[in-house]
Amino acid sequence: MTADIIITNGRVLTMSDDMPRAEAVAVAGNRILAVGRRDDVEALRGPKTEIVNAEGCSVTPGLIESHVHLFIGAASLSALDLSGIDDGSRATTAIRNYAIAHGDDRLIYAVNGSYAMLGPSTDITRQHLDTIMPDRPLAIMDAGMHTVWANTLALEAAGILHGAEMPDGAEIVIGGDGTATGELREPAAFATVTALNHTGGRDAIGYTDGREPMPAPTEAERRNDRAVLLDGMAYCASKGITSVHNMDGNVYTLDLCQEIDEADGFLLRVQVPMHFTNRHAIDDLAVAEEMRRRFASDRVFSGRVKLFMDGVLEAWTALMREPYPDNPKARCGQALHDYDDWIELAIEADRRGLQIDVHAIGDEAIRRTLDGFAAARRANGARDSRHRIEHVEITHPDDFARIRDLGVIVSIQPSHAPGLVLPADFIRPRLRDAQLPYAWAWDAHRRVSRAMPFSSDWPVAPVDPLFSFRAGMTRQPLEPSLPSHRQTFLQMLAGYTRDAAFTEFAEDRKGQLKPGMLADIAVFSDDLEAMPGDEIDQAQAVLTICDGRITHCL
């Protein structure tokens, strides 16, 4: 058999223990044909073989992004990005310039806002935003996607200026005058505001509600949504990414991905879960089973249930075992699921053979998540469930052994550690001294987790894996006496390839460059292994191959 594509003269990092390094890779159809010495692989050349000279640069398995919000991230590509803005004048200029350029938008919508974007000591209110944008609705999503700030016109357009009934854990913050202050905490609180954006909020329904768009989208709206998603897929492919594990979803998102695939627009493998919120009933797990049945290819698939156990540290909504030291009013944060309801859900989802994936940041949220996994094992018996916990930022010391004993996978976003996306001095006051040794304790988690997939949480942080590599490889300790938990290059690469594939039960098909594996490959502009951690994100993907197809080429 001759090869369709041969990548040669590369520093091939296979992530396979059988042959960790090689010089060339051959592809035939959608599979890896051969990996090895340059001369041996080039012998598979045929008259139509495409030859790619890697010029001594890194060649890796296609990168697997284990935690993204693909539809929201794709929509954010056309929104105003406020990353790095931390004073009112810069924020005002950016928002007003964007509004001028987008005169027809129903909502001026910005992402990656900071709690300090109007200045370090300014609590953001609708009145502040009214001063910036008095004559058009304005909303700003915070970088963690758990808070939105809205001006008066946006709150009025969404029908929540005077508040609204909210499920547990969500809050429209009400001021002393009985009207909304402009701060909307957690997805259910800001869903009616984000519904005013250019997708009609359909990009965020899988995140805010987990149900289907109502009314059903028109064909014109579906075409628009497919175009938005396709832009997001192309953007991911341009970063060397060949697969993503979406962290929100519904049938509509899967349908759009399937339609893109069937129209031969395939660029990216996408797993979409059922997002189970505290508004769902146990019987709604039938939807997750139907999603698993209908979508089960290597390109578009489901099989997972995702839920939020708590919020985030920056909003004091992460669920903690002890009250926040810097905000007594926040007490211990917010539980987004009743404890007994969660135990019942964990048992039933596990009984149905679904993978369970839980956002849990605070030490009490992690404890409750493990309680549910333990209850499922007692009720249903032990199985290879590969249940996941996302973020796992503050872990109680007693729970590391439980993670190991329950076979849980810890899913980490390196850029979330204080000091990169969020300043360390912003987060530090929320933690007690006794919690610091167990905060973002990646090395300790590595010793107990079955695998350690890495990811970005895009659009919370840039989706470029090399940005996460830099974050993991250059991390600073929270205090000088504490370990840095810095990761090596090969640990980072494993988290984006072999460990990520294991997490989705695909270790026999991807995550390594071996004959017979799916032909998912990334070629970079530099020898990544030789680059310092603080420079590695200056490299870029020059070629991405997914399922044997070139999905990105510089």
Side-chain angles (χ1 to χ4, degrees), residues 35 102 326 414:
V35 181
H102 295 78
D326 64 331

Side-chain angles (χ1 to χ4, degrees), residues 168-169 278 308-310 317 319 333-338 368:
D168 290 346
N278 55 16
F308 288 87
M309 191 61 67
D310 65 347
T317 54
L319 187 62
Q334 298 177 353
L336 298 182
H337 285 267
D338 174 80
R368 291 186 179 204

Side-chain angles (χ1 to χ4, degrees), residues 5-260:
I5 302 171
I6 290 176
I7 302 168
T8 188
N9 191 27
R11 297 183 64 83
V12 181
L13 300 168
T14 69
M15 305 312 294
S16 167
D17 293 335
D18 298 337
M19 181 190 294
R21 298 171 188 274
E23 298 173 337
V25 183
V27 172
N30 73 336
R31 298 282 171 169
I32 302 292
L33 177 61
V35 181
R37 293 175 59 250
R38 178 176 180 175
D39 290 346
D40 294 339
V41 173
E42 288 187 0
L44 299 170
R45 180 174 184 168
K48 296 183 179 179
T49 301
E50 183 172 354
I51 303 296
V52 176
N53 184 351
E55 299 180 348
C57 297
S58 293
V59 179
T60 72
L63 302 182
I64 302 170
E65 235 290 354
S66 296
H67 187 126
V68 295
H69 300 274
L70 179 62
F71 203 174
I72 302 173
S76 76
L77 293 174
S78 59
L80 172 61
D81 188 347
L82 296 178
S83 298
I85 290 180
D86 58 3
D87 71 75
S89 61
R90 288 179 62 204
T92 298
T93 298
I95 290 168
R96 290 178 177 173
N97 287 343
Y98 181 87
I100 291 170
H102 295 78
D104 295 332
D105 286 7
R106 183 182 178 191
L107 174 73
I108 304 304
Y109 184 57
V111 297
N112 292 323
S114 162
Y115 286 78
M117 65 187 164
L118 301 185
S121 60
T122 302
D123 292 330
I124 302 165
T125 67
R126 63 181 172 89
Q127 288 83 4
H128 288 118
L129 301 187
D130 289 345
T131 300
I132 296 173
M133 185 59 54
D135 55 350
R136 294 175 67 183
L138 166 67
I140 302 171
M141 176 79 76
D142 89 293
M145 294 206 315
H146 285 259
T147 300
V148 163
W149 298 278
N151 72 351
T152 301
L153 288 177
L155 294 167
E156 288 178 338
I160 58 173
L161 179 60
H162 298 280
E165 185 177 348
M166 287 288 111
D168 290 346
E171 181 181 7
I172 299 170
V173 179
I174 301 296
D177 64 354
T179 64
T181 67
E183 183 173 347
L184 310 171
R185 297 176 178 172
E186 298 303 324
F190 54 70
T192 53
V193 171
T194 57
L196 303 172
N197 74 7
H198 69 289
T199 71
R202 291 181 300 278
D203 61 300
I205 288 174
Y207 178 71
T208 59
D209 185 70
R211 299 187 185 274
E212 304 306 312
M214 294 296 292
T218 65
E219 184 50 41
E221 289 171 335
R222 292 183 79 98
R223 282 197 304 271
N224 176 75
D225 293 348
R226 285 195 297 269
V228 169
L229 261 177
L230 195 56
D231 285 346
M233 293 175 175
Y235 187 70
C236 289
S238 74
K239 307 300 180 183
I241 297 169
T242 53
S243 296
V244 297
H245 302 165
N246 212 41
M247 285 294 132
D248 59 79
N250 48 19
V251 175
Y252 182 62
T253 304
L254 281 162
D255 277 337
L256 293 176
C257 292
Q258 185 80 4
E259 289 166 11
I260 289 170

